[in-house]
Amino acid sequence: MREERAITEWRIEGFEPGGTRDTEVAARDYIDHFWLPAEVPGDVHTTLHRAGVIPHPFYGHNDRRTRWVEERVWWYRGHFFMDEGSLRAGETLELVFEGLDTLATIYLNGRELGRHANMFVPATFDVTRELVAGDNVVAVKFDPVALAVKEKDHGLWAAFNRDRVWVRKAQSHFGWDWGPNIVPCGIWRPVVLRRHRGWRIQSVNPRTPFIGEGWAKWPVEVEILRPGDPEGKEDAWVRIVLWDGERKAAEGETPVIGEKASVDLKVLRPKLWWTRDLGEPHLYRLEVALIVRGEELDRREQGAGLRTLTLLREEDGEPRFTFVLNGRPIFAKGANWIPADQFPGAVTEERIAGLLEAAGQAGMNMIRVWGGGLYEPDIFYEICDRLGILVWQDFMFACALYPDYNKDFMENVKTEVETVVRRLRGHPCVALWCGNNENEWLWEMMVSDGRLREPFYGERIYHRLIPEVLRRLDPDRPYWPSSPYGGADHNSAEEGDRHNWQVWHGHVYPRHFGEPERVDRSVQGVSFKQYLKDTARFVSEFGIQAAANRYTLEKWLPDGGLEWGSREMAYRNKDAHPQTAALVMAGYTRVPQTFEEYVMNSMLIQAEGLRLAVEHYRRRKFATSGALIWQLNDCWPGISWSIIDYEGLPKAAYYYARRFFHPYLLTLEVKETEWILHAVWDGPDPLSDEVTMELVDFRGKRLTMAKWPVQVPAGGRVEIARLAPEEWLGGADVRRVAVALRSQTGRTPERWVYLCDQKDMDLPQASLEVEILEGGREVRVRVDVHARMIVLEVPGKPAVFQENFFDLAAGESRVVKVTAGVSGELRRVTARCLNGAPVMVEIAR
């Protein structure tokens, strides 16, 4: 049987390039006891910071002060002991590095095993002969990326940094418009010593099943790595058992032919895998055993979801971009995922789980793993399987031309694609492979307006290499060459998917192939009201920037940095046009004058803008079939488009998302001449409800109210009523009233609709009354008049509340639990709102 043993004792040291002889540092008897202890998985920067050698690169401008780290050669040395009896005849021992970032040379006991140049691909070495009884030493040398690419062709266009196109590592390490230019290196995933008998299971692929009435045929393919002649005949079998809990749901066995085996499992009364809004994401357990000459030599267990998934491109003669799960079309609600940290070796399973669980709690059923970051670790996809969240998986190419004319580069990429496809194809959550992020759109646009004259380098990757690999290894799953892609412009609304960056970046649509890019960076040009014009089939990126939470900014900015317009605040914002924030706020909230106003106003425009967009897109279901926010998370404590900041604290838009991504959505479409009340329902069964709509002034007076019975078909939408604004208002001033939408069955949260921009509202001054309840884990908030966007915080603590950034009508109160970030009882809580002075309550110790 296969056995694995982690190698965990490591030390690191840095040297000037060319300053040492590699054979000396790699030697088994080299003295390294004075080197710095290092954690693996990890990276050099994190190790140096923990040892007090460097300040944290995220604090202030320390990323610049620590740039020297990237210019040195770094060595890791790891020690492990092998006793005499552990070196058994007939067995193979492999040294496996699951992740090396990035340009590495690997030695064992002074012998060079090989070189590795891809962060995304494991490095595996047969070390059966090189191991010795007693102490063994692994040495890994990391060369500086900048030095290695210095002589490369730098004529290829790339946004942010041209060095990155030659290096197969996270492209965002070289800086992006939401993250810093910090290029880490190190052993970022585990290192194991693997023992086996030559035969082993390479991958298990449960393919798309055929689902009949009361039964399913489920093909399961197994790839085998075997010693000797791969075509040779052996008495080798694969036995597969499908478990549903403790019940055996199906089983089968088949001989190994060459390096493959395939079994069609017959599953009676199959339980399907669904997204969280349509049903249970049921997971079976697939148990695969490899038996050679009567002896079990390897075993693999993994979760498996029984489901069909297709991408519908046309319906009734109209273009569509609709994912169809188990025969049911779905509206994709979700966000884009970037690396959870600039230092990926520092990301824990708990951090990944926390972010994905937050996405699930916000009603998301799809996450797009963006193409400038990482192929995430197995635990990411396992959690998505469990939570019923689909994954749009980009390959890691973004905003650049790539040297597809270079043989070595292409061989590296081919290995990467094959490895990633084999690793991820067994997950039911993986919905689509996508070739790259924005490469086709940006290249064509820049060629059209004369900024580029180069061929589309990278085309051979997205249109030849990847499709060929997928035909061999994963033919059932949809492939999309780029994002955005399709139509008379790769960012067209008519076909395919779209990145709507008219809002915020000011791109003017429509545009057609051959036309120059047009940009309108005026208040109106970047306004989030532009979303209401979008008729895209699927919106895979759209977003609005907002500040991080106060706790996060206070933790990472030096004293004096918390000021609107300060140098420190400006450094947190990597957007090429940082003045856009003021333009968007000018259109909705007014331009802020203080730090407090900036945080509150930026939070509000992000939340209200994304709400407006998602409600618009969902009302168009299925003419529009998806809305993926840019972006869910952050890789550092910056000002960005994320809805959860670097410290894991939700912004206002996250709490709004829990309402606008709710399976049952009530919206009021406010137009000059009419108001239209809609209901959208994503559930698998028809919905019956009674909906009330009430006009209330900001001092609590109820002005107009009506009720309607509502019947919504499964997965459908209905128009409930069309209303005349003047009749509903009855002379009331739109600046002093709001509309409340409520489900009488409580199936969806209450919704407040405002009839004018925030800057035009005539909100009275609100007084907040805050009380920490007995038990110290709940807070009650009361208001005298209508309070707009109440924010609860615990000074100096990364507190997460069950609900936050909410509105309360005059005379109402709400009890809110703190769910994370505070151990023990609450002692202090602050509350603020847009139309009231901040309040702090403190309990004496």
Side-chain angles (χ1 to χ4, degrees):
M1 291 289 290
R2 178 192 310 206
E3 298 175 14
E4 289 188 353
R5 167 187 170 187
I7 299 174
T8 57
E9 295 182 19
W10 295 90
R11 293 179 176 271
I12 70 165
E13 183 61 84
F15 300 89
E16 293 297 326
T20 61
R21 291 184 62 185
D22 294 355
T23 52
E24 292 180 4
V25 182
R28 186 167 170 237
D29 58 357
Y30 184 86
I31 298 174
D32 60 19
H33 70 267
F34 55 86
W35 286 19
L36 290 177
E39 290 187 9
V40 169
D43 62 85
V44 170
H45 284 82
T46 302
T47 299
L48 296 178
H49 170 61
R50 286 176 178 160
V53 176
I54 62 171
H56 199 292
F58 290 170
Y59 188 81
H61 293 223
N62 285 345
D63 57 326
R64 295 182 180 276
R65 294 176 56 192
T66 56
R67 190 74 71 210
W68 62 269
V69 176
E70 302 169 21
E71 298 168 355
R72 305 198 84 188
V73 172
W74 291 96
W75 281 82
Y76 279 70
R77 282 173 59 91
H79 294 254
F80 62 98
F81 188 84
M82 300 285 289
D83 59 47
E84 191 75 43
S86 65
L87 301 173
R88 300 190 287 266
E91 292 187 331
T92 299
L93 289 110
E94 291 179 330
L95 184 61
V96 182
F97 297 84
E98 295 183 13
L100 294 170
D101 183 12
T102 292
L103 304 178
T105 308
I106 301 95
Y107 301 82
L108 176 63
N109 296 327
R111 301 200 177 274
E112 182 179 327
L113 300 179
R115 301 191 176 197
H116 194 69
N118 195 314
M119 177 184 189
F120 309 126
V121 175
T124 302
F125 303 96
D126 182 342
V127 294
T128 309
R129 295 179 305 167
E130 286 66 48
L131 290 167
V132 297
D135 187 45
N136 288 263
V137 177
V138 182
V140 185
K141 173 193 175 187
F142 289 98
D143 287 306
V145 167
L147 188 63
V149 301
K150 188 176 181 180
E151 302 303 322
K152 292 289 186 181
D153 174 8
H154 284 68
L156 292 175
W157 174 81
F160 310 111
N161 187 311
R162 295 193 178 198
D163 286 351
R164 64 185 177 88
V165 302
W166 286 96
V167 188
R168 296 311 297 148
K169 73 184 265 108
Q171 302 288 274
S172 56
H173 284 168
F174 298 84
W176 221 264
D177 56 1
W178 36 257
N181 179 357
I182 302 175
V183 183
C185 75
I187 305 176
W188 74 287
R189 282 184 174 164
V191 182
V192 297
L193 191 64
R194 180 182 297 157
R195 180 195 303 274
H196 56 80
R197 296 282 298 277
W199 291 80
R200 58 212 186 275
I201 298 168
Q202 182 181 29
S203 70
V204 177
N205 182 25
R207 294 189 59 176
T208 297
F210 170 80
I211 301 173
E213 188 66 37
W215 68 284
K217 183 176 77 171
W218 200 355
V220 179
E221 295 180 345
V222 183
E223 287 187 305
I224 307 297
L225 293 174
R226 55 182 290 174
D229 179 8
E231 301 301 323
K233 294 186 177 181
E234 294 271 1
D235 181 17
W237 291 76
V238 165
R239 181 182 301 134
I240 301 177
V241 181
L242 186 70
W243 294 92
D244 184 10
E246 298 301 314
R247 181 180 71 87
K248 189 181 292 186
E251 62 182 325
E253 61 180 33
T254 188
V256 175
I257 299 175
E259 296 182 294
K260 292 185 178 180
S262 181
V263 173
D264 288 342
L265 298 177
K266 185 174 182 179
V267 185
L268 300 178
R269 299 177 298 280
K271 298 177 181 177
L272 303 186
W273 185 93
W274 292 98
T275 52
R276 55 189 301 111
D277 50 349
L278 291 178
E280 179 191 357
H282 185 80
L283 289 174
Y284 292 92
R285 180 165 54 89
L286 202 58
E287 186 179 274
V288 182
L290 173 62
I291 301 159
V292 181
R293 296 183 291 277
E295 181 183 0
E296 183 177 317
L297 294 188
D298 200 3
R299 173 179 290 266
R300 180 78 64 88
E301 292 188 15
Q302 66 185 55
L306 187 67
R307 58 95 171 133
T308 64
L309 191 143
T310 57
L311 180 61
L312 179 67
R313 296 294 319 286
E314 184 179 323
E315 185 176 39
D316 298 328
E318 289 292 319
R320 290 286 183 263
F321 198 94
T322 307
F323 289 95
V324 181
L325 179 64
N326 301 324
R328 187 184 295 273
I330 65 172
F331 188 99
K333 303 171 294 187
N336 285 258
W337 174 284
I338 66 169
D341 203 293
Q342 189 75 358
F343 303 110
V347 178
T348 62
E349 292 187 0
E350 291 75 17
R351 194 159 157 196
I352 290 172
L355 286 166
L356 289 175
E357 285 165 5
Q361 291 163 9
M364 298 185 191
N365 62 13
M366 180 174 279
I367 292 291
R368 176 184 174 223
V369 178
W370 169 75
L374 305 166
Y375 306 101
E376 293 297 324
D378 292 342
I379 189 67
F380 176 96
Y381 303 92
E382 291 167 6
I383 293 170
C384 288
D385 288 343
R386 176 172 56 82
L387 295 179
I389 297 176
L390 292 169
V391 175
W392 170 311
Q393 179 65 58
D394 282 6
F395 288 97
M396 295 300 123
F397 304 92
C399 301
L401 300 180
Y402 288 87
D404 62 0
Y405 49 82
N406 183 279
K407 182 180 178 182
D408 293 341
F409 181 85
M410 290 296 281
E411 288 179 353
N412 198 355
V413 168
K414 182 180 180 182
T415 300
E416 173 186 322
V417 172
E418 290 177 339
T419 302
V420 169
V421 171
R422 281 192 170 99
R423 179 166 72 90
L424 301 185
R425 64 184 175 174
H427 290 280
C429 68
V430 178
L432 174 136
W433 299 107
C434 180
N436 66 76
N437 172 76
E438 297 188 344
N439 293 356
E440 317 231 0
W441 171 47
L442 294 178
W443 172 79
E444 191 279 328
M445 194 161 52
M446 288 189 290
V447 167
S448 294
D449 60 23
R451 283 178 287 170
L452 269 183
R453 302 185 186 279
E454 299 170 85
F456 180 38
Y457 289 120
E459 181 178 21
R460 292 172 182 169
I461 300 172
Y462 327 124
H463 293 277
R464 298 188 199 178
L465 190 156
I466 294 174
E468 187 277 325
V469 171
L470 292 176
R471 276 193 294 271
R472 286 190 289 110
L473 299 182
D474 196 22
D476 302 337
R477 194 169 271 112
Y479 173 64
W480 196 237
S482 184
S483 179
Y485 189 80
D489 163 27
H490 287 312
N491 206 19
S492 167
E494 284 71 37
E495 293 184 44
D497 72 313
R498 165 181 254 188
H499 294 184
N500 187 330
W501 288 116
Q502 180 163 9
V503 177
W504 198 269
H505 289 315
H507 291 287
V508 178
Y509 307 123
R511 175 194 168 273
H512 298 91
F513 289 135
E515 295 178 354
E517 176 187 24
R518 290 178 293 147
V519 176
D520 179 5
R521 290 197 181 93
S522 66
V523 170
Q524 184 169 351
V526 300
S527 167
F528 59 69
K529 294 176 186 176
Q530 296 284 354
Y531 287 132
L532 296 174
K533 302 176 183 177
D534 194 1
T535 58
R537 303 303 177 183
F538 191 106
V539 190
S540 47
E541 279 190 24
F542 64 104
I544 296 173
Q545 203 181 75
N549 285 276
R550 168 182 279 274
Y551 169 84
T552 301
L553 294 173
E554 284 182 340
K555 178 177 178 179
W556 294 101
L557 268 66
D559 291 343
L562 298 184
E563 294 181 11
W564 167 240
S566 74
R567 182 169 171 262
E568 295 295 340
M569 285 289 288
Y571 198 66
R572 298 286 118 183
N573 189 345
K574 301 303 182 184
D575 188 4
H577 301 280
Q579 69 276 12
T580 304
L583 293 174
V584 181
M585 286 185 281
Y588 189 72
T589 63
R590 294 193 182 96
V591 177
Q593 302 300 313
T594 66
F595 169 77
E596 293 293 350
E597 286 184 354
Y598 165 66
V599 172
M600 294 288 279
N601 288 359
S602 70
M603 291 276 194
L604 184 67
I605 63 168
Q606 185 187 49
E608 287 290 349
L610 297 181
R611 175 198 62 78
L612 187 80
V614 172
E615 289 183 355
H616 166 69
Y617 294 135
R618 291 187 69 185
R619 285 194 296 261
R620 289 177 45 80
K621 181 183 182 180
F622 286 101
T624 299
S625 295
L628 306 183
I629 292 168
W630 184 268
Q631 65 210 59
L632 178 70
N633 58 311
D634 263 330
C635 69
W636 83 309
I639 294 165
S640 80
W641 294 264
S642 74
I643 62 173
I644 300 175
D645 74 20
Y646 175 72
E647 292 293 334
L649 299 181
K651 301 180 185 180
Y654 172 80
Y655 289 99
Y656 272 52
R658 287 166 54 172
R659 296 189 283 275
F660 61 62
F661 277 150
H662 194 279
Y664 178 24
L665 176 69
L666 297 174
T667 79
L668 185 66
E669 190 177 1
V670 177
K671 299 183 176 182
E672 276 192 37
T673 57
E674 65 176 348
W675 299 346
I676 309 172
L677 183 60
H678 302 262
V680 183
W681 168 237
D682 294 330
D685 302 307
L687 178 142
S688 297
D689 194 13
E690 185 177 62
V691 171
T692 65
M693 177 170 153
E694 190 172 25
L695 186 71
V696 183
D697 77 13
F698 291 147
R699 296 190 182 276
K701 184 178 180 181
R702 285 160 172 78
L703 304 176
T704 314
M705 196 269 282
K707 296 182 181 180
W708 297 270
V710 175
Q711 302 290 327
V712 191
R717 59 186 174 86
V718 296
E719 182 183 296
I720 300 171
R722 287 179 177 255
L723 310 167
E726 63 277 4
E727 293 179 12
W728 259 81
L729 288 168
D733 188 339
V734 295
R735 299 174 304 162
R736 298 187 175 97
V737 296
V739 174
L741 304 178
R742 299 186 181 96
S743 159
Q744 292 304 293
T745 59
R747 297 285 295 274
T748 189
E750 176 185 76
R751 265 275 289 118
W752 283 102
V753 180
Y754 298 97
L755 306 175
C756 64
D757 294 341
Q758 180 68 27
K759 61 183 171 55
D760 298 323
M761 289 183 198
D762 186 9
L763 284 159
Q765 187 73 9
S767 295
L768 304 180
E769 182 182 328
V770 183
E771 177 186 5
I772 299 175
L773 300 182
E774 188 174 350
R777 303 297 295 178
E778 295 181 329
V779 177
R780 178 184 287 122
V781 184
R782 295 188 183 92
V783 297
D784 57 345
V785 298
H786 195 97
R788 184 79 163 105
M789 204 171 81
I790 297 169
V791 185
L792 300 175
E793 296 171 316
V794 177
K797 302 286 185 182
V800 177
F801 289 87
Q802 185 179 38
E803 189 172 0
N804 214 342
F805 299 93
F806 55 88
D807 299 350
L808 278 182
E812 289 189 351
S813 66
R814 184 166 299 176
V815 175
V816 181
K817 292 181 180 179
V818 62
T819 57
V822 180
S823 59
E825 295 184 359
L826 290 172
R827 289 293 175 180
R828 290 191 302 164
V829 172
T830 62
R832 69 186 76 242
C833 66
L834 286 168
N835 57 314
V839 175
M840 185 177 78
V841 60
E842 185 168 8
I843 299 177
R845 294 185 180 276

